[in-house]
Amino acid sequence: MGTIFTAIRYGSYTTVAATLMLTLGNQAFAKGPAGSAGDAVAKFRQLGTELPSPNLYRGASGAPGPAYWQQRADYKIDLALDEDKKLIVASETITYTNNSPDTLNYLWVQLDQNRFKDGSIARMSETASQAGSRRDRAGSGDSLSYNAMRRVQALADTDYGHKILSVTDSKGNDLPYIINDTMMRIDLPAPLKTETQTVFNIDWQFNILDEAAVGGRGGYEHFSENDTYIYFLAQWFPRMAAYTDYTGWQHKQFLGRGEFALEFGDYEVNITVPSDHIVSATGLLQNPRQVLTSKQRKRLDQATATKQVFVVTPKEALENEKSRSKGTKTWRFKAENVRDFSFASSRKFIWDAMLHEQASETMPVVTAMSFYPNEAEPIWSRYSTQAVVHTMEVYSRFTFDYPYPTSQSVNTWERGGMEYPMITFNGYRPSKDEKTGEITYSRSIKHAMIGVIIHEVGHNYFPMIVNSDERQWTWMDEGLNSFVEYLAEYEWDENFNISGGQTNPLDIIPGYMQSDNQVPIMTQSDSVLQFGPNAYSKPAASLIVLRETVMGRELFDHAFKQYATQWKFKRPTPSDFFRTMEDASGVDLDWFWRGWYFGTDYVDVSINSIREYQISSQDPDQEFDEDRAEFWRDHPESITERRNREEGIVTRANRIESLKDFYHENDRFTVSNKDKNKHQSFLDDLEDWEKAAYERALEDGHYIYFVDFENVGGLITPLPLTIHYRNGEAENMMIPAEIWRRDAKFVTKLIIREKRIISIDVDNAHQTADADFSNNSFPAKISKSRLEIYKGSGSRRNLMADMLVELKSEDGKEGGDSGQETDKQIPLSASDMQANDKETENRDDETTKNEDLSDEEKSVLARLLKRLVETE
Amino acid sequence: MTIKLHHRRRVLASGLAGMAALCLPLNVAAHRQRRALTTIKWNERTHVLEITHALHLHDAEQALTRLGNLEAPDLTPLRARAQLALYTKKHFKLTDMDNTAIEATILGAEIESGYAYVFLEAGIKKKPSGLIITDTILQDIFVDQVNVVNIDFGGDTKTATFLIGDKAKKLLA
């Protein structure tokens, strides 16, 4: 039962009587027990014990549960910045609200500056390379960089770390406390019950870090040329550690990499600084009349959504930094519902502002501002505030309207960036040519700067508002933020990068994903070696795949927005993200999270073969002639016979009549009555429904294809196919990842079409993070690596070759590199075969400015051509 | 055990105005790790070892400028890219399992979207059973530079990671 088609034709041979059972699905079974290496369905198992059980705080749908709770911490802080001593003296009152169902006997407070204290775990556990020096296991060749030496000296000269002066309750009585490295435990005189508040005070001071020497995300930057400073303070005040439903107190020590877990609350901060300083801080300035001139206030009022204004002009800032005031001023800031507070202060600051308008009832206007020294010009006044506004525009589309009244970008250091609510510290400055004094900046500096501002401002969304635990899971903010950052960069300008097209992150990440020393994304950050790809680019790449390939934009954008809005001002964990994305979209994603986040496989799909069939009519009158033609195609006459024929030799049997018989006239492909009878009985044996299906299939005349795929890399992926037909047309077809659900290694897909297929490609658009495109087409296409493409670019190679020769002759020292640096090549142009590879052409044009050759390059080319002509 | 000071005069002589913070140590909120990826592929068809270095463009520009190899931190000009190629060749050594040096020739260098690529190749008679690699690219400027080398000889990819101070590492095919 069940054989519908009893005979099928395959390209080069005929199986007349063969029966073939066409199975329309895969009947592969798991080849090993569950959990074993041979378990073929392991990759599709639903995530079970890998995720914590849903509960009343965090539901199975990924949303906060009915009993979700989080603590609250409000701060009132007074501080003074002593410029001469590089010291901050401060006092704070913390109002801590216990919304948990638990009774707390003690509170934990974070003292992040203690990371730099003598004897801290962070410092004591540093390896030599982390401390900035080289180590040589053999013993000789150990060396100490100037940088490391400076760091050692800075740490020796100054006592870093929070110096706690007093810890008291609201009445002023001392509270008992103990400091464990970067965490302080305050023992409460009476247990703090659920739904109650407690108030306590801390007085402290600390030496401001020489950030360039020591590191630390906050401190001061010293400009030695004119002895001026920028102060930028972060992690500067003792603040509550997070108390959570999933780990109790989050007080894993601050070692420098795993960042911060914090509570939301309101802040009132009064900052006393030298009176000629300009201060940028989290929150809204409460006393502009006291600290700003009327001219500055007026200018601020003139900022609009289309007009960026200077509140302090570059010239004014330059004047300002020439002297030092003696007096002080106090800047009062208020911030609502934030998880942290940072500020920057300097007499060097240029200050500009622009408005961002959004369709929000609660926050229709946001003031975007930038603060930067003259050393950052001209790129900062041109790009920074615009980048801030752009970030809010794009991010808000994917998440929610920016809920805070201001967003600021401050230039506090040379490279990198760091994020705080409403304020970000960002790097990158142009450079000054030593000889000419000209200020220049390369395109890469510009894009690095815009990119870092987008990234840091983007962090306001993740984790400042969608408040994930950075100490535990770096990727939840860095990965998600990097992903939206790419989207914002794609929308900045088409020429965002030098090439004229954005590099596809999915082409870059496979390099990391193939390396054999990876750890899964779901690994605590202090232990991760290849930190950048692990926490930033791999999760970001996975989300691009999720959005563009697995779910599609409509489903993804809706689910992502659902996640962001339901966890706005709350603290999500990874399972909340995983569950929400599934719950809101209806797409099963367990295989996806399992593969990308819990595993270390990579994507590499191979299309191994395509076999073509057609339904055979089994009618000898129709089939036999074709069979004969096929036979002779596969068995060409021998060369002897052919030449005999060409010479005109006639065989004996053809010359003498009496030798001819039945067999002479007929070959095995001649139709006999026996053949005809066989055909008829075959038809008679079919059931009516079988006959109907058969005749319909014959009439349709479709082509049947069995396509074999192999999952070489291990990471399950959907298969975006491009089917090419013989008539020149092409068709795109997306095979969902579920095709791998019974066998994660090999699958065969059945495709039936009216038109004949000539070839099939997998992932033409490079949308799956496939690591190797040489096995993505059948018949195989030559897929070139970047190196091979470069190699094929004759003129570029020769220009480089000439340049290397030139450099060598100028600078005899480069010898030691023996002989010729590179082989010169005769220029070739691509053949037809290579021209088929669209990639080759596009990439050739995209890389390295193919604008007009410089005069130098033209002359090199001219010389080369001349040489070629001369040697002919 | 003598401790030698590494003579990096250019680091202290801050000739580039405005760049007050030079070698940032690892503990800064480096929102992007300094990392380079080198891929070594054995091309069975052409019997050639193909080497591709991928560096972050910004890091390469900064480092080579500080070393004096570039006049300005800009790798767009051909000359600058040639300098980059020479630099990476100097800082990347390969030998086979018998410690015979494998000489690579430079094919060239290109930049694309925030990355700088340097291409080299070495023609050797047959597929090596393994490689001994020394990789110090950019580690003379950045103490936190992490260099990853992936070798692909047709089987599984093998990886070696180089932190500052690491010596030669063996990778079997």
Side-chain angles (χ1 to χ4, degrees):
Chain A
M1 142 85 190
T3 66
I4 303 170
F5 308 112
T6 56
I8 26 191
R9 177 187 303 280
Y10 174 34
S12 54
Y13 64 84
T14 312
T15 52
V16 176
T19 38
L20 189 76
M21 185 174 294
L22 284 179
T23 49
L24 295 178
N26 244 332
Q27 290 196 16
F29 296 98
K31 295 185 182 65
S36 75
D39 182 359
V41 306
K43 297 190 175 170
F44 261 90
R45 285 197 201 292
Q46 297 295 286
L47 287 171
T49 51
E50 291 86 352
L51 301 182
S53 303
N55 50 53
L56 290 174
Y57 314 129
R58 299 159 191 287
S61 70
Y68 175 83
W69 59 266
Q70 62 187 32
Q71 309 294 58
R72 185 192 169 88
D74 304 303
Y75 299 80
K76 286 195 171 64
I77 315 179
D78 291 303
L79 72 119
L81 169 76
D82 184 331
E83 242 193 330
D84 297 319
K85 296 202 188 121
K86 303 281 178 299
L87 180 71
I88 297 240
V89 182
S91 69
E92 65 182 350
T93 301
I94 302 180
T95 305
Y96 184 72
T97 310
N98 178 16
N99 290 317
S100 79
D102 308 321
T103 300
L104 302 175
N105 295 312
Y106 45 77
L107 304 177
W108 283 95
V109 174
Q110 310 186 50
L111 304 176
D112 294 312
Q113 294 293 316
N114 281 9
R115 177 183 154 218
F116 294 103
K117 209 174 173 144
D118 291 335
S120 73
I121 295 181
R123 280 178 59 187
M124 296 301 276
S125 67
E126 260 172 16
T127 57
S129 64
Q130 285 171 309
S133 53
R134 296 181 205 218
R135 62 192 153 80
D136 183 328
R137 284 199 198 93
S140 66
D142 283 329
S143 61
L144 198 59
S145 67
Y146 278 120
N147 216 47
M149 194 71 244
R150 173 172 68 160
R151 187 163 186 270
V152 165
Q153 288 166 349
L155 289 169
D157 286 347
T158 315
D159 269 336
Y160 288 119
H162 283 114
K163 186 165 169 188
I164 303 294
L165 303 171
S166 72
V167 180
T168 56
D169 67 14
S170 55
K171 295 195 184 73
N173 303 318
D174 283 331
L175 286 171
Y177 66 90
I178 183 170
I179 296 179
N180 173 1
D181 198 42
T182 65
M183 294 289 169
M184 172 166 78
R185 192 187 74 227
I186 299 178
D187 295 321
L188 298 170
L192 183 64
K193 293 204 175 64
T194 179
E195 311 284 339
T196 27
Q197 254 179 14
T198 185
V199 178
F200 60 96
N201 312 299
I202 302 180
D203 289 0
W204 81 98
Q205 65 186 51
F206 70 97
N207 290 309
I208 305 174
L209 295 165
D210 176 357
E211 210 273 338
V214 164
R217 298 177 179 79
Y220 65 80
E221 184 185 6
H222 181 223
F223 295 77
S224 54
E225 304 77 33
N226 54 13
D227 194 31
T228 53
Y229 290 82
I230 293 180
Y231 298 90
F232 49 106
L233 282 309
Q235 295 96 40
W236 57 278
F237 60 103
R239 62 267 191 86
M240 297 305 303
Y243 183 69
T244 69
D245 58 278
Y246 56 86
T247 196
W249 287 100
Q250 175 49 284
H251 52 18
K252 189 175 191 302
Q253 296 291 351
F254 183 39
L255 299 179
R257 175 178 283 171
E259 290 187 329
F260 312 106
L262 299 160
E263 306 286 10
F264 287 107
D266 295 341
Y267 285 69
E268 282 175 39
V269 183
N270 303 319
I271 307 175
T272 301
V273 292
S275 55
D276 58 352
H277 273 211
I278 296 288
V279 177
S280 164
T282 301
L284 279 178
L285 181 62
Q286 301 297 300
N287 61 336
R289 284 187 180 278
Q290 287 175 339
V291 297
L292 302 182
T293 66
S294 69
K295 200 197 278 186
Q296 288 166 342
R297 292 196 312 271
K298 219 180 288 178
R299 286 172 178 168
L300 205 43
D301 281 335
Q302 283 164 355
T304 67
T306 45
K307 193 162 84 140
Q308 178 180 314
V309 299
F310 279 119
V311 182
V312 174
T313 66
K315 219 163 118 200
E316 285 164 357
L318 206 54
E319 267 308 303
N320 198 30
E321 71 181 20
K322 287 188 181 149
S323 56
R324 276 196 195 190
S325 73
K326 295 255 172 26
T328 62
K329 272 196 192 143
T330 300
W331 297 59
R332 300 185 198 284
F333 287 91
K334 238 187 184 160
E336 282 172 15
N337 216 5
V338 289
R339 63 166 235 174
D340 198 351
F341 188 100
S342 292
F343 66 96
S345 181
S346 175
R347 54 179 60 91
K348 293 173 70 73
F349 281 149
I350 304 166
W351 174 3
D352 70 45
M354 196 170 139
L355 300 183
H356 163 63
E357 285 167 355
Q358 48 186 14
S360 156
E361 280 169 23
T362 42
M363 194 64 67
V365 178
V366 179
T367 309
M369 303 193 283
S370 301
F371 300 76
Y372 43 95
N374 269 285
E375 286 83 350
E377 281 293 74
I379 51 178
W380 270 73
S381 60
R382 172 170 278 163
Y383 296 119
S384 174
T385 300
Q386 289 275 356
V388 172
V389 173
H390 179 73
T391 308
M392 289 190 282
E393 277 178 13
V394 178
Y395 274 69
S396 294
R397 268 176 29 223
F398 289 94
T399 55
F400 38 75
D401 292 327
Y402 186 79
Y404 294 134
T406 175
S407 184
Q408 298 159 86
S409 159
V410 187
N411 177 241
T412 57
W413 48 38
E414 209 277 295
R415 174 187 173 271
M418 192 53 203
E419 71 276 1
Y420 304 98
M422 305 189 223
I423 182 175
T424 54
F425 298 158
N426 304 308
Y428 302 108
R429 297 180 182 134
S431 44
K432 207 183 214 173
D433 190 299
E434 281 179 52
K435 299 187 213 125
T436 67
E438 197 195 328
I439 311 264
T440 61
Y441 61 94
S442 65
R443 212 188 293 219
S444 82
I445 284 270
K446 166 188 162 185
H447 287 136
M449 176 203 152
I450 294 168
V452 84
I453 293 175
I454 292 176
H455 183 93
E456 302 311 336
V457 174
H459 269 307
N460 267 270
Y461 297 79
F462 307 99
M464 298 296 137
I465 298 168
V466 180
N467 183 22
S468 52
D469 180 339
E470 297 181 286
R471 187 65 49 89
Q472 193 103 327
W473 303 291
T474 305
W475 70 266
M476 277 196 89
D477 68 304
E478 295 300 356
L480 269 63
N481 187 32
S482 297
F483 163 69
V484 190
E485 175 203 340
Y486 293 153
L487 301 179
E489 283 166 2
Y490 279 123
E491 292 192 28
W492 174 273
D493 88 46
E494 325 81 71
N495 295 314
F496 188 79
N497 297 52
I498 288 157
S499 69
Q502 179 78 286
T503 279
N504 184 353
L506 301 184
D507 283 334
I508 298 194
I509 200 62
Y512 164 69
M513 288 171 74
Q514 282 181 289
S515 44
D516 66 3
N517 62 354
Q518 289 176 76
V519 293
I521 291 174
M522 289 291 285
T523 302
Q524 202 278 332
S525 50
D526 286 315
S527 310
V528 177
L529 181 59
Q530 293 203 60
F531 183 58
N534 188 283
Y536 294 66
S537 32
K538 184 178 170 186
S542 80
L543 294 177
I544 297 175
V545 172
L546 195 58
R547 179 171 193 246
E548 306 283 14
T549 305
V550 177
M551 288 169 79
R553 288 186 171 194
E554 196 181 339
L555 288 174
F556 178 95
D557 291 349
H558 168 264
F560 193 75
K561 198 173 239 187
Q562 182 68 31
Y563 165 74
T565 44
Q566 71 193 14
W567 287 99
K568 186 176 168 189
F569 296 120
K570 294 194 170 72
R571 183 178 288 116
T573 60
S575 49
D576 302 318
F577 178 66
F578 299 151
R579 288 174 171 140
T580 303
M581 295 303 284
E582 259 203 30
D583 196 78
S585 67
V587 179
D588 174 26
L589 295 174
D590 289 40
W591 61 269
F592 182 82
W593 307 122
R594 190 183 278 288
W596 280 89
Y597 287 75
F598 289 89
T600 56
D601 288 335
Y602 60 97
V603 178
D604 182 8
V605 168
S606 171
I607 175 170
N608 286 347
S609 108
I610 306 177
R611 297 179 293 286
E612 181 187 75
Y613 295 88
Q614 268 200 298
I615 308 300
S616 166
S617 68
Q618 294 304 293
D619 180 352
D621 285 322
Q622 287 181 25
E623 304 286 337
F624 278 22
D625 284 339
E626 178 60 42
D627 289 349
R628 178 187 296 119
E630 265 187 66
F631 179 82
W632 285 114
R633 273 199 294 272
D634 289 337
H635 303 90
E637 77 181 321
S638 77
I639 190 155
T640 306
E641 281 191 68
R642 191 183 90 211
R643 285 187 176 156
N644 280 357
R645 205 167 26 85
E646 286 164 3
E647 282 176 27
I649 297 171
V650 181
T651 60
R652 191 175 199 85
N654 276 335
R655 279 182 279 130
I656 300 170
E657 275 304 315
S658 61
L659 292 176
K660 289 187 188 165
D661 67 358
F662 172 81
Y663 292 109
H664 181 80
E665 301 301 332
N666 298 296
D667 59 18
R668 66 171 133 122
F669 296 111
T670 308
V671 179
S672 66
N673 279 336
K674 191 162 162 221
D675 294 318
K676 292 194 196 184
N677 291 337
K678 207 162 156 196
H679 175 63
Q680 195 54 49
S681 79
F682 156 70
L683 288 173
D684 293 339
D685 277 344
L686 293 176
E687 309 255 0
D688 283 340
W689 67 266
E690 286 175 332
K691 194 162 179 196
Y694 186 52
E695 280 169 359
R696 159 94 183 270
L698 281 175
E699 210 183 292
D700 287 343
H702 291 164
Y703 297 91
I704 301 165
Y705 298 91
F706 288 81
V707 188
D708 290 343
F709 298 99
E710 181 183 351
N711 180 2
V712 175
L715 180 49
I716 302 280
T717 176
L719 305 170
L721 302 185
T722 306
I723 300 173
H724 297 282
Y725 295 101
R726 267 183 209 272
N727 64 6
E729 290 169 13
E731 174 197 341
N732 287 328
M733 174 200 231
M734 177 71 82
I735 297 182
E738 278 77 356
I739 195 173
W740 301 101
R741 70 185 178 282
R742 293 208 190 87
D743 188 335
K745 187 81 175 134
F746 297 98
V747 292
T748 302
K749 179 75 179 165
L750 174 69
I751 298 177
I752 300 179
R753 287 288 181 277
E754 290 172 29
K755 296 175 284 201
R756 265 187 109 181
I757 294 176
I758 191 172
S759 69
I760 298 183
D761 307 324
V762 184
D763 196 14
N764 270 348
H766 289 223
Q767 60 185 115
T768 64
D770 195 303
D772 178 10
F773 284 90
S774 67
N775 54 12
N776 279 42
S777 294
F778 195 90
K781 273 208 293 225
I782 296 181
S783 153
K784 295 185 166 185
S785 66
R786 192 182 287 272
L787 181 146
E788 284 174 306
I789 292 170
Y790 184 90
K791 244 176 115 162
S793 63
S795 66
R796 266 195 295 153
R797 271 189 68 185
N798 288 331
L799 290 172
M800 174 60 84
D802 278 337
M803 177 57 73
L804 287 167
V805 168
E806 206 176 297
L807 285 176
K808 243 181 44 141
S809 65
E810 282 172 18
D811 194 58
K813 273 202 300 197
E814 285 307 326
D817 298 319
S818 53
Q820 185 124 4
E821 277 303 338
T822 169
D823 290 329
K824 292 276 287 286
Q825 301 290 314
I826 293 175
L828 301 170
S829 63
S831 67
D832 276 343
M833 202 161 69
Q834 285 162 310
N836 274 340
D837 193 344
K838 282 271 164 264
E839 255 176 63
T840 321
E841 290 170 22
N842 292 340
R843 202 170 252 156
D844 239 19
D845 292 334
E846 273 170 19
T847 50
T848 323
K849 273 206 319 209
N850 264 341
E851 296 164 11
D852 294 333
L853 297 174
S854 68
D855 283 338
E856 182 184 82
E857 288 169 7
K858 276 191 201 146
S859 76
V860 166
L861 190 57
R863 271 187 277 127
L864 167 68
L865 292 169
K866 195 153 160 270
R867 219 175 295 152
L868 280 177
V869 167
E870 278 164 5
T871 54
E872 288 236 63
Chain B
M1 191 161 50
T2 55
I3 298 181
K4 271 186 340 205
L5 280 182
H6 183 79
H7 289 289
R8 281 198 268 124
R9 276 184 295 279
R10 285 185 193 86
V11 173
L12 285 194
S14 155
L16 295 166
M19 289 172 70
L22 299 175
C23 263
L24 296 179
L26 174 62
N27 358 44
V28 164
H31 257 226
R32 178 179 56 71
Q33 193 181 37
R34 289 197 213 270
R35 187 176 164 270
L37 177 64
T38 299
T39 316
I40 305 179
K41 195 170 143 93
W42 169 251
N43 189 323
E44 187 58 54
R45 272 185 302 116
T46 54
H47 276 241
V48 151
L49 213 53
E50 297 171 348
I51 303 163
T52 305
H53 299 297
L55 316 177
H56 281 292
L57 178 61
H58 180 68
D59 291 346
E61 286 174 343
Q62 294 294 299
L64 290 181
T65 308
R66 288 188 208 169
L67 286 168
N69 296 8
L70 295 184
E71 285 163 16
D74 187 357
L75 279 171
T76 323
L78 177 66
R79 190 189 183 86
R81 282 179 280 128
Q83 292 285 17
L84 173 67
L86 290 170
Y87 171 86
T88 57
K89 186 173 162 180
K90 216 161 64 161
H91 289 264
F92 191 83
K93 297 276 172 258
L94 279 182
T95 74
D96 65 13
M97 298 305 279
D98 300 319
N99 271 298
T100 318
I102 296 176
E103 273 306 312
T105 51
I106 296 173
L107 293 174
E110 66 186 15
I111 50 183
E112 187 185 321
S113 302
Y115 289 92
Y117 299 95
V118 182
F119 307 111
L120 303 99
E121 66 178 9
I124 43 187
K125 291 204 196 79
K126 62 175 172 72
K127 181 164 116 175
S129 56
L131 293 173
I132 304 178
I133 306 164
T134 317
D135 182 353
T136 55
I137 294 174
L138 297 189
Q139 288 178 345
D140 48 348
I141 285 293
F142 302 129
V143 295
D144 57 345
Q145 179 76 21
V146 175
N147 291 335
V148 177
V149 181
N150 279 350
I151 67 169
D152 173 9
F153 281 8
D156 288 334
T157 303
K158 299 280 162 45
T159 307
T161 308
F162 293 85
L163 300 178
I164 198 164
D166 280 349
K167 303 196 83 176
K169 295 199 177 188
K170 268 191 210 162
L171 278 178
L172 296 173

